[in-house]
Amino acid sequence: MACRWSSKLIESCRTKLGSDPHFARHKARFMSGDRLRMSISPGWIQAQTISSSQSRHEFKIYTRTGDKGTSALFTGERRPKNDLIFNALGSTDELSSHIAMAREYALEGDHSYCERLLRIQCILQDISAVIATPKSSAREAHLKKVGFSERHATELEEWIDEYTHELPPLQNFILPGGGKASAALHVARTVCRRAERCVSPLVLSGEIDTQALIYLNRLSDFLFTAARYAAKLDNRQEEIYIRSDLEEPPKKEKSKPLNPSKK
C-alpha cells in the first residue's frame, strides 16, 4: 500500500517498528515520513522506498488474483474467501473500523483515551497477522514473525481497572447510548464479540495462538468500560435496563392533524 504517512501515525509507530531488524534499513526514511511501498506481512513490514512518479505509474491496488473466489494467506496457501480464516480476518478488520469511528467521536470531545484506541487498532493488525498464518500451512520462519505477547491483554486489564475506579459501581444492566462516543464504543464492543466468536474455532482447532482470542475477550470488556467512561466525560447519563413488565408503558401521544392550519 503506497501512502503518505501522517506525522501522528509516524510518531505512534516509531516505538513499534523502529527497532525491527526487517525495518532497520528503511528506518531513516520512515522517520522523515517519505513515501513508502508497504507490503503488509504478519508481525512486521517490508518497506521499499519509491518515488512519487513510480508509485503513480507502477503501483495498483487491484491484483485480480482473487477474481475466482480464493485469496492467499501469509503462508502462501490459497483458500476460498468464505473460509473461517477470512471470516475472522473480516470481522477483525470491521472491528478496527468501528473503533476508528468511535475514536473520531472521542476526538471531538477531547477524550483522554483516544491514543489508546489507536494502539488497539495497531494490535488488531497484529492479530490479523496471527490469523493469516495458520499453523497447518506455516513454516517456522512464518511463526517467528507473528508472535503475540500476553502483555497486551494485561495492558487492557490495567486500563479497565483505571477507568473502573473513576466510575460509579455497576448495579444495573447498561443499555447502549450515553452520547455519540459512548454509543460508538458499544457498537465496537458488539463487533468485538463477533470477532471473538469467529476466532474461537481457529484457536480450538489449533490453527492459531490462544493469546489472540484472550486479547479479543479482554478487549470487549475494555470497550464496555470505555463506553461508560465516555458517557461520564460527556456528562451524559447512562441508560439502564428496566424490565418491560414492571415499567409503565409510555403515554400515548394525541394524534395531530397533518395540516393544522386547515380545519
Side-chain angles (χ1 to χ4, degrees):
M1 169 174 58
C3 62
R4 176 73 66 181
W5 287 66
S6 70
S7 58
K8 179 172 285 189
L9 183 56
I10 290 172
E11 183 66 28
S12 68
C13 291
R14 280 178 177 171
T15 302
K16 185 174 180 58
L17 296 176
S19 60
D20 194 297
H22 298 285
F23 198 79
R25 62 195 176 94
H26 303 284
K27 182 176 179 181
R29 290 176 181 256
F30 173 75
M31 293 301 187
S32 63
D34 276 3
R35 184 174 286 265
L36 304 173
R37 173 176 292 158
M38 311 302 289
S39 174
I40 305 301
S41 299
W44 56 287
I45 293 180
Q46 290 178 317
Q48 177 183 348
T49 57
I50 57 175
S51 67
S52 298
S53 59
Q54 285 179 308
S55 65
R56 196 178 305 120
H57 298 297
E58 294 181 8
F59 182 80
K60 293 183 178 181
I61 192 64
Y62 57 88
T63 63
R64 301 191 179 102
T65 57
D67 289 352
K68 294 184 178 180
T70 66
S71 193
L73 302 175
F74 176 56
T75 60
E77 178 188 5
R78 297 195 70 84
R79 294 193 184 190
K81 292 189 177 184
N82 61 355
D83 189 88
L84 290 177
I85 291 284
F86 296 115
N87 193 25
L89 284 171
S91 295
T92 304
D93 186 26
E94 185 181 353
L95 171 58
S96 181
S97 298
H98 279 291
I99 290 175
M101 180 66 75
R103 183 172 179 270
E104 290 302 313
Y105 285 133
L107 284 168
E108 291 178 3
D110 198 25
H111 291 186
S112 57
Y113 55 84
C114 294
E115 290 305 311
R116 291 180 174 181
L117 294 182
L118 182 61
R119 173 167 171 76
I120 288 170
Q121 286 184 271
C122 288
I123 293 175
L124 288 175
Q125 194 71 24
D126 292 338
I127 288 180
S128 294
V130 172
I131 296 171
T133 315
K135 295 179 182 179
S136 60
S137 61
R139 298 190 300 274
E140 188 63 28
H142 293 136
L143 296 175
K144 285 182 179 180
K145 295 173 182 175
V146 297
F148 192 79
S149 174
E150 62 184 20
R151 67 182 174 84
H152 297 315
T154 302
E155 181 179 58
L156 287 177
E157 292 172 355
E158 292 171 354
W159 294 350
I160 292 170
D161 292 341
E162 176 186 335
Y163 295 149
T164 299
H165 289 319
E166 299 186 39
L167 294 169
L170 189 61
Q171 298 176 331
N172 303 93
F173 286 109
I174 302 296
L175 298 178
K180 290 190 291 187
S182 178
L185 286 165
H186 276 297
V187 173
R189 170 183 59 82
T190 61
V191 176
C192 184
R193 286 298 190 192
R194 173 152 51 84
E196 183 184 359
R197 293 192 297 272
C198 293
V199 168
S200 180
L202 301 175
V203 172
L204 294 176
S205 64
E207 282 280 54
I208 65 174
D209 193 287
T210 186
Q211 285 300 323
L213 183 63
I214 292 173
Y215 185 84
L216 290 172
N217 186 24
R218 210 69 77 249
L219 179 57
S220 62
D221 294 331
F222 168 78
L223 292 171
F224 174 77
T225 306
R228 297 191 66 209
Y229 188 61
K232 177 185 177 182
L233 293 178
D234 286 336
N235 295 314
R236 296 291 295 267
Q237 184 176 356
E238 293 181 316
E239 299 292 340
I240 64 171
Y241 160 74
I242 301 175
R243 280 180 54 182
S244 58
D245 57 343
L246 298 179
E247 181 185 27
E248 291 187 9
K251 294 181 180 180
K252 186 177 181 180
E253 293 186 2
K254 293 181 180 180
S255 59
K256 298 179 180 179
L258 295 177
N259 192 343
S261 63
K262 294 181 180 182
K263 295 183 180 179

